[in-house]
Amino acid sequence: MPITFIVSYEVKDFNIWEKAFASNSEVRKSAGIKATPYKEIENPNKVYIVGEAPSKELLEEMFRNPRFVQLMQTAGVITKPNVIFLTK
């Protein structure tokens, strides 16, 4: 069942993180994941990603993938991601 998700975490530098996020767009697309990044106005290094995925399990699997974990580290993610799953 398709789900909506919100992920939040802090990064060292939003601009560096945003480039890494964009570099992973084909992987998200091939998995059927749509995601839009946002940043807080008061704290531009606090990132929010709002999106849709085919399933909760698929998104959880992505977050456990060693290549994705490495990408997040390289992108400068400094806090553990907080993931919220939503459905209608």
Side-chain angles (χ1 to χ4, degrees):
M1 167 197 272
I3 54 103
T4 299
F5 63 88
I6 301 170
V7 179
S8 62
Y9 46 77
E10 287 199 50
V11 298
K12 292 178 185 175
D13 182 293
F14 180 82
N15 295 324
I16 292 170
W17 172 84
E18 189 174 36
K19 289 176 186 170
F21 179 82
S23 77
N24 200 38
S25 65
E26 286 302 314
V27 172
R28 287 190 303 276
K29 184 177 178 181
S30 68
I33 298 170
K34 298 176 185 172
T36 304
Y38 298 89
K39 61 182 174 180
E40 280 189 13
I41 293 172
E42 298 299 321
N43 179 3
N45 290 330
K46 179 75 179 209
V47 174
Y48 294 84
I49 303 154
V50 179
E52 296 177 354
S55 70
K56 177 182 176 192
E57 293 77 19
L58 180 90
L59 197 66
E60 289 174 331
E61 182 181 312
M62 182 185 77
F63 273 91
R64 288 190 302 268
N65 182 307
R67 293 180 85 181
F68 184 75
V69 171
Q70 179 62 44
L71 177 66
M72 289 182 58
Q73 291 173 343
T74 302
V77 174
I78 56 175
T79 61
K80 181 180 177 185
N82 179 38
V83 184
I84 299 170
F85 298 102
L86 305 168
T87 189
K88 291 183 181 180

Coordinates of all heavy atoms in Angstrom, one line a residue:
M1 N 0.8 -1.2 0.0 CA 0.0 0.0 0.0 C 0.9 1.2 0.0 O 1.8 1.4 0.8 CB -0.9 0.0 1.2 CG -1.6 1.3 1.5 SD -2.2 1.5 3.1 CE -3.8 0.8 2.9
P2 N 0.7 2.2 -0.9 CA 1.5 3.4 -1.0 C 1.3 4.2 0.3 O 0.3 4.2 1.0 CB 0.9 4.2 -2.1 CG 0.1 3.2 -2.9 CD -0.3 2.1 -2.0
I3 N 2.4 4.8 0.7 CA 2.4 5.6 1.9 C 3.0 7.0 1.7 O 3.8 7.2 0.7 CB 3.2 4.9 3.1 CG1 4.7 4.6 2.6 CG2 2.5 3.7 3.5 CD1 5.7 5.4 3.2
T4 N 2.7 7.9 2.6 CA 3.3 9.2 2.6 C 4.3 9.2 3.7 O 4.1 8.6 4.8 CB 2.3 10.4 2.7 OG1 1.4 10.3 1.6 CG2 2.9 11.7 2.8
F5 N 5.4 9.9 3.6 CA 6.4 10.0 4.6 C 7.0 11.4 4.8 O 7.0 12.2 3.9 CB 7.6 9.0 4.4 CG 8.4 9.3 3.2 CD1 9.5 10.1 3.2 CD2 8.0 8.7 1.9 CE1 10.2 10.4 2.0 CE2 8.8 8.9 0.8 CZ 9.9 9.8 0.8
I6 N 7.5 11.6 6.0 CA 8.2 12.8 6.3 C 9.5 12.4 7.1 O 9.4 11.6 8.0 CB 7.4 13.8 7.2 CG1 6.1 14.2 6.6 CG2 8.2 15.0 7.6 CD1 5.1 14.9 7.5
V7 N 10.6 12.8 6.6 CA 11.9 12.5 7.2 C 12.5 13.8 7.6 O 12.5 14.8 6.8 CB 12.8 11.7 6.2 CG1 14.2 11.4 6.9 CG2 12.2 10.5 5.7
S8 N 13.1 13.8 8.8 CA 13.8 15.1 9.2 C 15.1 14.7 9.9 O 15.3 13.6 10.5 CB 13.0 15.9 10.2 OG 12.7 15.2 11.4
Y9 N 16.1 15.5 9.7 CA 17.4 15.4 10.3 C 18.2 16.7 10.1 O 17.8 17.5 9.3 CB 18.2 14.2 9.8 CG 18.3 14.0 8.3 CD1 19.1 14.7 7.5 CD2 17.5 13.0 7.7 CE1 19.1 14.5 6.1 CE2 17.5 12.8 6.4 CZ 18.3 13.5 5.6 OH 18.4 13.3 4.2
E10 N 19.3 16.8 10.8 CA 20.2 18.0 10.6 C 21.4 17.6 9.8 O 21.9 16.5 9.8 CB 20.7 18.5 12.0 CG 19.5 19.2 12.7 CD 20.0 20.2 13.8 OE1 20.9 21.0 13.5 OE2 19.5 20.1 14.9
V11 N 21.9 18.6 9.0 CA 23.1 18.4 8.1 C 24.1 19.5 8.4 O 23.7 20.5 9.0 CB 22.7 18.4 6.6 CG1 21.7 17.3 6.3 CG2 22.1 19.7 6.2
K12 N 25.3 19.2 8.1 CA 26.4 20.2 8.3 C 26.2 21.4 7.4 O 26.4 22.6 7.8 CB 27.7 19.6 8.0 CG 28.2 18.6 9.0 CD 29.5 18.0 8.6 CE 29.9 16.8 9.5 NZ 31.1 16.2 9.1
D13 N 25.8 21.2 6.1 CA 25.6 22.3 5.2 C 24.5 21.9 4.2 O 24.6 20.9 3.5 CB 26.9 22.5 4.5 CG 26.8 23.7 3.5 OD1 26.1 23.6 2.4 OD2 27.5 24.7 3.7
F14 N 23.4 22.7 4.2 CA 22.3 22.3 3.3 C 22.7 22.2 1.8 O 22.2 21.3 1.1 CB 21.1 23.3 3.5 CG 19.9 23.0 2.6 CD1 19.0 22.0 3.0 CD2 19.7 23.6 1.4 CE1 17.9 21.7 2.2 CE2 18.7 23.3 0.6 CZ 17.7 22.3 1.0
N15 N 23.5 23.1 1.3 CA 23.8 23.2 -0.1 C 24.6 21.9 -0.5 O 24.4 21.3 -1.6 CB 24.6 24.4 -0.4 CG 23.8 25.7 -0.3 OD1 22.6 25.7 -0.6 ND2 24.4 26.7 0.2
I16 N 25.5 21.5 0.4 CA 26.3 20.2 0.1 C 25.3 19.0 0.1 O 25.3 18.2 -0.7 CB 27.4 20.0 1.1 CG1 28.5 21.1 0.8 CG2 28.0 18.7 1.0 CD1 29.5 21.2 1.9
W17 N 24.4 19.0 1.2 CA 23.5 17.9 1.3 C 22.6 17.8 0.1 O 22.3 16.8 -0.5 CB 22.7 18.0 2.6 CG 21.6 17.0 2.6 CD1 21.7 15.7 3.1 CD2 20.2 17.2 2.2 NE1 20.5 15.1 2.9 CE2 19.6 16.0 2.3 CE3 19.6 18.3 1.6 CZ2 18.2 15.8 2.0 CZ3 18.2 18.1 1.2 CH2 17.6 16.9 1.4
E18 N 22.1 19.0 -0.4 CA 21.1 19.1 -1.5 C 21.7 18.5 -2.8 O 21.0 17.8 -3.5 CB 20.6 20.5 -1.7 CG 19.5 20.6 -2.7 CD 19.0 22.0 -2.7 OE1 19.8 23.0 -2.7 OE2 17.8 22.2 -2.9
K19 N 23.0 18.7 -3.0 CA 23.6 18.1 -4.2 C 23.7 16.6 -4.1 O 23.4 15.9 -5.1 CB 25.0 18.7 -4.3 CG 25.1 20.1 -4.8 CD 26.5 20.7 -4.8 CE 26.4 22.2 -5.1 NZ 27.7 22.8 -5.0
A20 N 24.0 16.1 -2.9 CA 24.0 14.6 -2.7 C 22.6 14.1 -2.9 O 22.4 13.0 -3.5 CB 24.5 14.3 -1.3
F21 N 21.6 14.8 -2.3 CA 20.2 14.3 -2.5 C 19.8 14.3 -4.0 O 19.2 13.3 -4.4 CB 19.3 15.3 -1.7 CG 17.8 15.0 -1.8 CD1 17.2 14.0 -1.0 CD2 17.0 15.6 -2.8 CE1 15.9 13.7 -1.1 CE2 15.6 15.3 -2.9 CZ 15.1 14.4 -2.0
A22 N 20.2 15.3 -4.7 CA 19.8 15.3 -6.2 C 20.6 14.2 -6.9 O 20.0 13.6 -7.8 CB 20.2 16.6 -6.8
S23 N 21.8 13.8 -6.5 CA 22.5 12.8 -7.1 C 21.9 11.4 -7.0 O 22.2 10.5 -7.7 CB 24.0 12.7 -6.6 OG 24.0 12.1 -5.3
N24 N 21.0 11.2 -6.0 CA 20.3 10.0 -5.8 C 18.9 9.9 -6.4 O 18.2 9.0 -6.2 CB 20.2 9.7 -4.3 CG 20.0 8.3 -3.9 OD1 20.6 7.4 -4.5 ND2 19.2 8.1 -2.9
S25 N 18.6 10.9 -7.3 CA 17.2 11.0 -7.8 C 16.8 9.8 -8.7 O 15.7 9.3 -8.6 CB 17.0 12.3 -8.6 OG 17.9 12.3 -9.7
E26 N 17.8 9.2 -9.4 CA 17.5 8.1 -10.3 C 17.2 6.8 -9.5 O 16.3 6.0 -9.8 CB 18.6 7.8 -11.3 CG 18.6 8.8 -12.4 CD 17.3 8.9 -13.2 OE1 16.7 7.8 -13.6 OE2 16.8 10.0 -13.5
V27 N 17.9 6.7 -8.4 CA 17.6 5.5 -7.5 C 16.2 5.6 -6.9 O 15.5 4.6 -6.9 CB 18.7 5.4 -6.4 CG1 18.3 4.4 -5.4 CG2 20.1 5.2 -7.0
R28 N 15.9 6.8 -6.4 CA 14.5 7.0 -5.9 C 13.5 6.8 -7.0 O 12.5 6.1 -6.7 CB 14.3 8.4 -5.3 CG 15.1 8.6 -4.0 CD 14.7 10.0 -3.4 NE 14.9 11.1 -4.2 CZ 16.0 11.7 -4.3 NH1 17.1 11.4 -3.6 NH2 16.2 12.8 -5.1
K29 N 13.7 7.3 -8.2 CA 12.7 7.2 -9.2 C 12.5 5.7 -9.6 O 11.4 5.3 -9.8 CB 13.2 8.0 -10.5 CG 12.2 8.0 -11.6 CD 12.7 8.8 -12.8 CE 11.8 8.8 -13.9 NZ 12.3 9.6 -15.1
S30 N 13.6 4.9 -9.7 CA 13.5 3.5 -10.1 C 12.8 2.7 -9.0 O 12.2 1.7 -9.3 CB 14.8 2.9 -10.4 OG 15.6 2.9 -9.3
A31 N 12.8 3.2 -7.8 CA 12.2 2.5 -6.7 C 10.7 3.0 -6.5 O 10.0 2.4 -5.7 CB 12.9 2.7 -5.4
G32 N 10.3 4.0 -7.3 CA 8.9 4.5 -7.2 C 8.8 5.4 -6.0 O 7.6 5.7 -5.6
I33 N 9.9 6.1 -5.6 CA 9.8 7.0 -4.5 C 9.8 8.4 -5.0 O 10.7 8.8 -5.8 CB 11.0 6.8 -3.5 CG1 10.9 5.4 -2.9 CG2 11.0 7.9 -2.4 CD1 12.1 5.0 -2.1
K34 N 8.9 9.2 -4.6 CA 8.9 10.6 -4.9 C 9.2 11.4 -3.6 O 8.6 11.1 -2.6 CB 7.5 11.1 -5.4 CG 7.1 10.4 -6.7 CD 5.6 10.8 -7.1 CE 5.2 10.0 -8.3 NZ 3.8 10.2 -8.5
A35 N 10.1 12.3 -3.7 CA 10.6 13.0 -2.5 C 10.9 14.5 -2.8 O 11.6 14.7 -3.8 CB 11.8 12.3 -1.9
T36 N 10.5 15.4 -2.0 CA 10.8 16.8 -2.1 C 11.5 17.3 -0.8 O 10.9 17.1 0.3 CB 9.5 17.6 -2.3 OG1 8.8 17.1 -3.5 CG2 9.8 19.1 -2.6
P37 N 12.7 17.9 -1.0 CA 13.4 18.4 0.2 C 13.0 19.8 0.6 O 12.6 20.6 -0.3 CB 14.8 18.4 -0.2 CG 14.8 18.6 -1.7 CD 13.5 18.0 -2.2
Y38 N 13.0 20.1 1.9 CA 12.7 21.4 2.4 C 13.7 21.7 3.5 O 14.3 20.7 4.0 CB 11.3 21.5 3.0 CG 10.2 21.2 2.1 CD1 9.7 19.9 1.8 CD2 9.6 22.3 1.4 CE1 8.7 19.7 0.9 CE2 8.6 22.0 0.5 CZ 8.1 20.8 0.3 OH 7.1 20.5 -0.6
K39 N 13.9 22.9 3.9 CA 14.7 23.3 5.0 C 14.0 24.3 5.9 O 13.1 25.0 5.4 CB 16.1 23.9 4.6 CG 16.0 25.1 3.7 CD 17.3 25.6 3.3 CE 17.2 26.8 2.4 NZ 18.5 27.2 1.9
E40 N 14.3 24.3 7.2 CA 13.7 25.3 8.1 C 14.1 26.7 7.7 O 15.3 26.9 7.4 CB 14.0 24.9 9.5 CG 13.2 23.8 10.1 CD 13.4 23.7 11.6 OE1 14.0 24.6 12.3 OE2 13.0 22.7 12.1
I41 N 13.3 27.6 7.9 CA 13.6 29.0 7.7 C 14.6 29.5 8.7 O 15.6 30.1 8.4 CB 12.4 29.9 7.6 CG1 11.5 29.6 6.4 CG2 12.7 31.4 7.7 CD1 10.2 30.2 6.3
E42 N 14.3 29.1 10.0 CA 15.1 29.6 11.1 C 16.4 28.8 11.3 O 17.4 29.3 11.8 CB 14.4 29.6 12.4 CG 13.1 30.5 12.4 CD 13.5 31.9 12.3 OE1 14.5 32.4 12.8 OE2 12.7 32.6 11.6
N43 N 16.4 27.6 10.8 CA 17.6 26.7 10.9 C 17.8 26.0 9.5 O 17.3 24.9 9.3 CB 17.5 25.7 12.0 CG 18.6 24.8 12.1 OD1 19.6 24.9 11.4 ND2 18.6 23.8 13.0
P44 N 18.5 26.6 8.6 CA 18.6 26.1 7.2 C 19.3 24.7 7.1 O 19.3 24.1 6.1 CB 19.3 27.2 6.4 CG 20.0 28.0 7.5 CD 19.2 27.9 8.7
N45 N 19.9 24.3 8.2 CA 20.6 23.0 8.2 C 19.7 21.9 8.8 O 20.1 20.7 8.9 CB 21.9 23.0 8.9 CG 22.9 23.8 8.1 OD1 22.9 23.9 6.9 ND2 23.8 24.5 8.8
K46 N 18.4 22.2 9.1 CA 17.4 21.2 9.5 C 16.6 20.9 8.3 O 16.0 21.8 7.7 CB 16.5 21.8 10.6 CG 15.5 20.9 11.1 CD 16.0 19.8 11.9 CE 14.8 18.9 12.4 NZ 15.0 18.3 13.7
V47 N 16.7 19.7 7.8 CA 16.2 19.2 6.5 C 14.9 18.4 6.8 O 14.8 17.6 7.7 CB 17.2 18.3 5.8 CG1 16.6 17.7 4.6 CG2 18.4 19.1 5.5
Y48 N 13.9 18.6 5.9 CA 12.7 17.8 5.9 C 12.5 17.3 4.5 O 12.7 18.0 3.5 CB 11.5 18.6 6.3 CG 11.5 19.1 7.7 CD1 12.2 20.3 8.1 CD2 10.9 18.4 8.7 CE1 12.3 20.7 9.4 CE2 10.9 18.8 10.1 CZ 11.6 20.0 10.4 OH 11.7 20.4 11.7
I49 N 12.2 16.0 4.4 CA 11.9 15.4 3.1 C 10.4 14.9 3.2 O 10.1 14.1 4.0 CB 12.8 14.3 2.7 CG1 14.3 14.8 2.7 CG2 12.5 13.7 1.4 CD1 15.3 13.8 3.0
V50 N 9.6 15.4 2.3 CA 8.2 14.9 2.2 C 8.0 14.2 0.9 O 8.4 14.7 -0.1 CB 7.2 16.1 2.3 CG1 5.8 15.6 2.3 CG2 7.5 17.0 3.6
G51 N 7.4 13.0 1.0 CA 7.3 12.2 -0.2 C 6.3 11.1 -0.1 O 5.6 10.9 0.9
E52 N 6.3 10.3 -1.2 CA 5.5 9.1 -1.3 C 6.3 7.9 -1.7 O 7.3 8.1 -2.5 CB 4.4 9.3 -2.3 CG 3.4 10.4 -2.0 CD 2.4 10.7 -3.1 OE1 2.5 10.1 -4.1 OE2 1.5 11.5 -2.8
A53 N 6.0 6.7 -1.2 CA 6.7 5.5 -1.5 C 5.7 4.4 -1.7 O 4.6 4.5 -1.1 CB 7.7 5.2 -0.4
P54 N 6.1 3.4 -2.5 CA 5.2 2.3 -2.7 C 4.8 1.5 -1.4 O 3.7 1.0 -1.3 CB 5.9 1.3 -3.6 CG 6.9 2.2 -4.4 CD 7.3 3.3 -3.3
S55 N 5.7 1.5 -0.4 CA 5.4 0.8 0.9 C 6.3 1.3 1.9 O 7.4 1.8 1.6 CB 5.5 -0.7 0.7 OG 6.9 -1.0 0.6
K56 N 5.9 1.1 3.2 CA 6.8 1.5 4.3 C 8.0 0.6 4.3 O 9.1 1.1 4.6 CB 6.0 1.2 5.6 CG 6.7 1.4 6.9 CD 5.9 1.1 8.1 CE 6.7 1.3 9.3 NZ 6.1 0.7 10.5
E57 N 7.9 -0.7 4.0 CA 9.0 -1.6 3.9 C 10.1 -1.2 2.9 O 11.2 -1.3 3.2 CB 8.5 -3.0 3.6 CG 7.6 -3.6 4.7 CD 6.1 -3.1 4.7 OE1 5.7 -2.5 3.7 OE2 5.5 -3.2 5.8
L58 N 9.6 -0.7 1.8 CA 10.6 -0.3 0.8 C 11.4 0.9 1.3 O 12.7 0.9 1.1 CB 9.9 0.1 -0.5 CG 10.8 0.6 -1.6 CD1 11.3 -0.6 -2.5 CD2 10.2 1.6 -2.5
L59 N 10.8 1.8 1.9 CA 11.5 3.0 2.4 C 12.5 2.6 3.6 O 13.6 3.0 3.6 CB 10.5 4.1 2.9 CG 11.2 5.4 3.1 CD1 11.6 6.0 1.7 CD2 10.2 6.4 3.7
E60 N 12.0 1.7 4.4 CA 12.9 1.2 5.5 C 14.1 0.5 5.0 O 15.2 0.6 5.5 CB 12.0 0.3 6.5 CG 11.0 1.1 7.3 CD 10.1 0.2 8.1 OE1 9.9 -1.0 7.7 OE2 9.7 0.6 9.2
E61 N 13.8 -0.3 3.9 CA 14.9 -1.0 3.3 C 16.0 -0.1 2.7 O 17.2 -0.3 2.8 CB 14.4 -1.9 2.2 CG 15.4 -2.8 1.5 CD 14.8 -3.6 0.4 OE1 13.7 -4.3 0.7 OE2 15.3 -3.6 -0.7
M62 N 15.5 1.0 2.1 CA 16.4 2.0 1.6 C 17.3 2.6 2.6 O 18.5 2.7 2.5 CB 15.6 3.1 0.9 CG 16.5 4.1 0.2 SD 15.6 5.5 -0.5 CE 15.2 6.5 1.0
F63 N 16.7 2.9 3.8 CA 17.5 3.5 4.9 C 18.5 2.5 5.5 O 19.5 2.9 6.1 CB 16.6 4.0 6.0 CG 16.1 5.4 5.7 CD1 14.9 5.7 5.1 CD2 16.9 6.5 6.2 CE1 14.5 7.0 4.8 CE2 16.5 7.8 5.9 CZ 15.3 8.0 5.2
R64 N 18.3 1.2 5.3 CA 19.3 0.2 5.8 C 20.3 -0.1 4.7 O 21.4 -0.7 5.1 CB 18.5 -1.1 6.2 CG 17.7 -1.0 7.4 CD 17.2 -2.3 7.9 NE 16.4 -3.0 6.9 CZ 15.1 -3.0 6.8 NH1 14.4 -2.2 7.6 NH2 14.4 -3.6 5.8
N65 N 20.1 0.3 3.5 CA 21.1 0.0 2.4 C 22.4 0.6 2.7 O 22.5 1.8 2.9 CB 20.5 0.5 1.1 CG 21.4 0.1 -0.1 OD1 22.6 0.4 -0.1 ND2 20.8 -0.5 -1.1
P66 N 23.5 -0.1 2.8 CA 24.8 0.4 3.1 C 25.3 1.6 2.1 O 25.9 2.5 2.6 CB 25.8 -0.7 2.9 CG 24.9 -1.9 3.2 CD 23.6 -1.6 2.6
R67 N 24.9 1.5 0.9 CA 25.2 2.6 -0.1 C 24.5 3.9 0.3 O 25.0 5.0 0.2 CB 24.9 2.2 -1.5 CG 25.8 1.0 -2.0 CD 25.5 0.6 -3.4 NE 26.2 1.5 -4.3 CZ 26.2 1.5 -5.6 NH1 25.4 0.6 -6.2 NH2 26.9 2.3 -6.3
F68 N 23.2 3.7 0.7 CA 22.5 4.9 1.1 C 23.0 5.5 2.4 O 23.1 6.7 2.6 CB 21.0 4.5 1.3 CG 20.1 5.7 1.6 CD1 19.8 6.6 0.6 CD2 19.6 5.9 2.9 CE1 19.0 7.7 0.9 CE2 18.8 7.0 3.2 CZ 18.5 7.9 2.2
V69 N 23.4 4.6 3.4 CA 23.9 5.1 4.6 C 25.2 5.9 4.3 O 25.5 6.9 4.9 CB 24.2 3.9 5.6 CG1 25.0 4.3 6.8 CG2 22.9 3.2 6.0
Q70 N 26.1 5.3 3.4 CA 27.3 6.0 3.1 C 27.0 7.4 2.4 O 27.7 8.4 2.7 CB 28.1 5.1 2.1 CG 29.4 5.8 1.7 CD 30.4 6.1 2.8 OE1 30.6 5.3 3.7 NE2 30.9 7.3 2.9
L71 N 26.0 7.4 1.5 CA 25.6 8.7 0.9 C 25.2 9.7 1.9 O 25.6 10.9 1.8 CB 24.5 8.4 -0.1 CG 24.0 9.7 -0.8 CD1 25.0 10.3 -1.8 CD2 22.7 9.4 -1.6
M72 N 24.5 9.3 2.9 CA 24.0 10.2 3.9 C 25.2 10.8 4.7 O 25.3 12.0 5.0 CB 23.0 9.6 4.9 CG 21.7 9.4 4.2 SD 20.4 8.7 5.2 CE 20.3 9.9 6.6
Q73 N 26.2 9.9 5.0 CA 27.4 10.3 5.8 C 28.2 11.3 4.9 O 28.6 12.3 5.4 CB 28.2 9.1 6.2 CG 27.6 8.3 7.2 CD 28.3 7.0 7.5 OE1 29.2 6.6 6.7 NE2 28.0 6.4 8.6
T74 N 28.4 11.0 3.7 CA 29.1 11.8 2.7 C 28.4 13.2 2.6 O 29.1 14.2 2.4 CB 29.3 11.2 1.4 OG1 30.0 9.9 1.6 CG2 30.1 12.0 0.4
A75 N 27.1 13.2 2.6 CA 26.3 14.4 2.4 C 26.3 15.3 3.7 O 25.9 16.4 3.6 CB 24.9 14.1 2.1
G76 N 26.8 14.8 4.8 CA 26.9 15.6 6.0 C 25.8 15.5 6.9 O 25.5 16.4 7.7
V77 N 25.0 14.4 6.9 CA 23.9 14.2 7.9 C 24.5 14.0 9.2 O 25.4 13.1 9.4 CB 23.0 13.0 7.5 CG1 22.0 12.7 8.5 CG2 22.4 13.3 6.1
I78 N 24.1 14.8 10.2 CA 24.7 14.7 11.5 C 23.8 14.2 12.7 O 24.3 14.0 13.8 CB 25.4 16.1 11.9 CG1 24.3 17.2 11.9 CG2 26.5 16.4 11.1 CD1 24.9 18.5 12.4
T79 N 22.5 14.0 12.4 CA 21.6 13.4 13.4 C 20.9 12.2 12.7 O 20.8 12.1 11.5 CB 20.6 14.4 13.8 OG1 19.8 14.9 12.7 CG2 21.2 15.6 14.5
K80 N 20.4 11.4 13.6 CA 19.7 10.2 13.2 C 18.4 10.7 12.5 O 17.7 11.5 13.0 CB 19.4 9.3 14.3 CG 18.6 8.0 14.0 CD 18.4 7.2 15.2 CE 17.5 6.0 14.8 NZ 17.1 5.2 15.9
P81 N 18.0 10.1 11.3 CA 16.8 10.5 10.7 C 15.6 10.1 11.5 O 15.5 9.1 12.1 CB 16.8 9.7 9.4 CG 18.2 9.3 9.2 CD 18.8 9.2 10.5
N82 N 14.6 11.1 11.6 CA 13.3 10.8 12.2 C 12.4 10.6 11.1 O 12.2 11.5 10.2 CB 12.9 12.0 13.1 CG 11.6 11.8 13.7 OD1 11.3 10.7 14.1 ND2 10.8 12.8 13.8
V83 N 11.8 9.4 11.0 CA 10.9 9.1 9.9 C 9.5 8.9 10.4 O 9.2 8.2 11.4 CB 11.3 7.8 9.2 CG1 10.4 7.5 8.0 CG2 12.8 7.8 8.8
I84 N 8.5 9.6 9.8 CA 7.1 9.5 10.1 C 6.4 8.9 8.9 O 6.6 9.5 7.8 CB 6.5 10.9 10.5 CG1 7.3 11.4 11.7 CG2 5.0 10.8 10.8 CD1 7.0 12.8 12.0
F85 N 5.6 7.9 9.1 CA 4.8 7.3 8.0 C 3.4 7.7 8.2 O 2.8 7.6 9.3 CB 5.0 5.8 8.0 CG 6.4 5.3 7.9 CD1 7.1 4.9 8.9 CD2 6.9 5.3 6.6 CE1 8.4 4.4 8.7 CE2 8.2 4.8 6.4 CZ 9.0 4.4 7.5
L86 N 2.8 8.1 7.0 CA 1.4 8.6 7.1 C 0.6 7.8 6.0 O 1.1 7.4 5.0 CB 1.3 10.1 6.7 CG 2.2 11.0 7.6 CD1 2.2 12.4 7.0 CD2 1.6 11.0 9.0
T87 N -0.7 7.6 6.3 CA -1.6 7.1 5.3 C -3.0 7.7 5.5 O -3.3 8.4 6.5 CB -1.7 5.5 5.5 OG1 -2.5 5.0 4.4 CG2 -2.4 5.2 6.8
K88 N -3.8 7.6 4.5 CA -5.1 8.2 4.5 C -6.1 7.3 5.2 O -6.0 6.1 5.2 CB -5.7 8.5 3.1 CG -4.9 9.6 2.4 CD -5.5 9.8 1.1 CE -4.7 11.0 0.4 NZ -5.2 11.3 -0.9

